[in-house]
Amino acid sequence: PWLKMKKIGGVEGVVPRKLAYDLGTGAPAQLDRALLHKAARHLCQADPLLKILITRIGLHCVPTREGSSTELTENGAFLSLVKGVVFQMISVQCGNAIMQRMLATVTPFTPAALLAVAELRMCGGQDKEGNKHVGLSGSKYGFIKGIASAFVSGEVSLKQLVGLSDRDCCQRLCALKGIGEWTAGVFMLHFLNRPDIMLYGDLTVRIALRDLFSLSSRLHGSAPAHTKVADAEDFPDTHATRHLIDEVAEKWRPYRTVVNHLMWHYKENPDSFYVVG
């Protein structure tokens, strides 16, 4: 079950084929406005760097259940999971284009309606009239069709997922083909608004943490990389990097979701925050 890693800093390590997210087993909670302000107070007291970040940019980048644009319904849950699959390993621009075509093709956007649409319309490039099909790859179409079937059969339901702990919810979702830790984590963070999700597998979050908390030098003594490919190689999702992240993130519990949003905002708006030291 182990894969060899290349040597980093002269030390050869190993990484499991599947890394388990560090998720809670307690009763599920939702990040609402009241809990967000409680989380901000906790994070400001626990971490001086996050206090500076929160003070400078505020909390507008952290969505709550009240401000969510997606309804907490069965179809909303299905849509959120489909988005998670669509956006895997592609650009945001490409993902948005595919989602727009899919929503125009499958109306209303429900599991049953998606299953009724012909595979050619979902996967092909364009028809004889030149109209673009949705443009899904065959594998992603298969994954999404499987998710739709699970909702239709009752194998997966919003009621079930809402009642599960973070860990059990992740395990339940990862049992579906095409859904891994990152997709499950994004679903719990964005759709279920769980307050304590740490997205180790998200490159943007990982690199933001690396840069702000100087984790790269602690891993192998090198300076940060400057391209996405080099970033992924410099600070890969391994036990070693997760351990380093946990060393600084332990004090953020049980509000690590907020930190993910802050890291996304920081990477999108690097000029909004400077560390003077």
Side-chain angles (χ1 to χ4, degrees):
W2 300 90
L3 293 174
K4 280 191 175 182
M5 288 169 52
K6 66 180 182 180
K7 288 188 177 181
I8 299 179
V11 179
E12 186 174 68
V14 290
V15 57
R17 291 183 183 275
K18 200 161 190 179
L19 294 169
Y21 271 20
D22 181 14
L23 296 169
T25 57
Q30 270 195 338
L31 186 65
D32 56 20
R33 290 193 183 100
L35 190 58
L36 175 58
H37 288 288
K38 182 178 179 181
R41 290 193 296 271
H42 171 85
L43 294 172
C44 287
Q45 292 172 0
D47 195 307
L49 202 56
L50 289 184
K51 181 178 181 179
I52 296 172
L53 191 58
I54 291 171
T55 300
R56 293 189 180 181
I57 69 174
L59 299 172
H60 66 276
C61 63
V62 185
T64 59
R65 185 64 255 167
E66 297 96 331
S68 176
S69 60
T70 308
E71 294 183 6
L72 196 63
T73 62
E74 201 83 358
N75 290 336
F78 174 62
L79 173 60
S80 182
L81 288 172
V82 169
K83 283 183 178 178
V85 172
V86 168
F87 278 83
Q88 291 171 6
M89 305 302 290
I90 61 174
S91 69
V92 173
Q93 183 179 10
C94 185
N96 284 332
I98 290 175
M99 284 305 307
Q100 287 176 4
R101 292 196 294 268
M102 190 185 302
L103 291 172
T105 301
V106 183
T107 54
F109 196 82
T110 66
L114 185 139
L115 291 174
V117 175
E119 180 175 352
L120 178 62
R121 292 184 63 195
M122 299 296 287
C123 299
Q126 59 184 27
D127 58 24
K128 294 179 180 179
E129 286 73 36
N131 298 313
K132 284 188 176 181
H133 291 143
V134 171
L136 285 170
S137 66
S139 59
K140 284 189 177 181
Y141 171 71
F143 297 151
I144 291 171
K145 187 176 178 181
I147 295 169
S149 297
F151 272 92
V152 168
S153 68
E155 179 186 349
V156 173
S157 69
L158 176 61
K159 182 179 179 179
Q160 172 198 76
L161 296 173
V162 166
L164 295 174
S165 69
D166 293 344
R167 183 176 298 177
D168 290 342
C169 185
C170 183
Q171 291 177 345
R172 182 68 198 86
L173 291 171
C174 288
L176 299 171
K177 287 185 178 180
I179 295 182
E181 287 181 346
W182 178 83
T183 304
V186 168
F187 174 82
M188 291 189 292
L189 186 148
H190 284 291
F191 183 75
L192 295 181
N193 295 102
R194 297 292 174 90
D196 195 35
I197 305 299
M198 188 74 243
L199 291 178
Y200 304 93
D202 190 283
L203 180 60
T204 301
V205 170
R206 208 165 61 245
I207 297 309
L209 291 173
R210 179 202 66 181
D211 294 347
L212 283 174
F213 293 89
S214 304
L215 299 182
S216 181
S217 59
R218 295 168 65 180
L219 180 64
H220 47 72
S222 67
H226 297 288
T227 68
K228 284 190 176 181
V229 173
D231 278 339
E233 293 179 349
D234 175 73
F235 206 59
D237 186 18
T238 66
H239 273 310
T241 54
R242 289 191 182 200
H243 179 69
L244 284 176
I245 290 172
D246 283 340
E247 284 184 351
V248 298
E250 183 62 32
K251 58 181 174 289
W252 302 337
R253 293 176 186 272
Y255 306 113
R256 293 176 297 171
T257 285
V258 177
V259 179
N260 287 277
H261 287 292
L262 292 172
M263 294 304 106
W264 282 322
H265 180 86
Y266 164 71
K267 291 302 288 183
E268 292 173 359
N269 306 275
D271 293 339
S272 67
F273 181 66
Y274 294 95
V275 179
V276 180

